[in-house]
Amino acid sequence: VSYEIKSDGWGGTYALFISNQVNIELAVLGYIYANKEWKKFNIKLAPNEIGHQVGGVFGGGSVSSYKIEYVERLR
C-alpha cells in the first residue's frame, strides 16, 4: 500500500491518495487531518487499485496529514 497527499484538482485543495500494490482486496482504516480536525476513514481497495481518494473538496476538506491504524486483507 502506498500513500500520497497531492492536489485533488480543485485549485489548492489536497487529498490523500491510497494505492493497493498487491493482487488482493484490502481494507484500510485511518485518519486524515482536514479543516483543523482529525476525521476517521475506512475504505476497501480492490486488487491493484491505484489512487483511491480520501478527503479533498467533496471528501471532508483539504488534507495536510494522515495516520494509518491498520491495513487488513479481505477474503
Side-chain angles (χ1 to χ4, degrees), residues 3-54:
Y3 311 94
E4 181 180 15
I5 295 175
K6 63 182 183 178
S7 174
D8 70 353
W10 287 91
T13 304
Y14 293 87
L16 175 63
F17 291 86
I18 304 173
S19 296
N20 179 358
Q21 299 173 339
V22 295
N23 197 24
I24 56 175
E25 188 174 41
L26 299 173
V28 179
L29 179 125
Y31 298 87
I32 55 170
Y33 190 74
N35 297 337
K36 300 181 183 177
E37 66 179 319
W38 287 101
K39 299 175 183 184
K40 188 175 188 175
F41 72 87
N42 56 28
I43 60 169
K44 187 187 308 185
L45 293 173
N48 302 303
E49 181 177 349
I50 304 298
H52 187 102
Q53 182 177 325
V54 178

Side-chain angles (χ1 to χ4, degrees), residues 50-72:
I50 304 298
H52 187 102
Q53 182 177 325
V54 178
V57 170
F58 300 111
S62 190
V63 175
S64 59
S65 187
Y66 65 93
K67 298 178 194 177
I68 303 301
E69 291 291 314
Y70 72 82
V71 177
E72 182 177 322

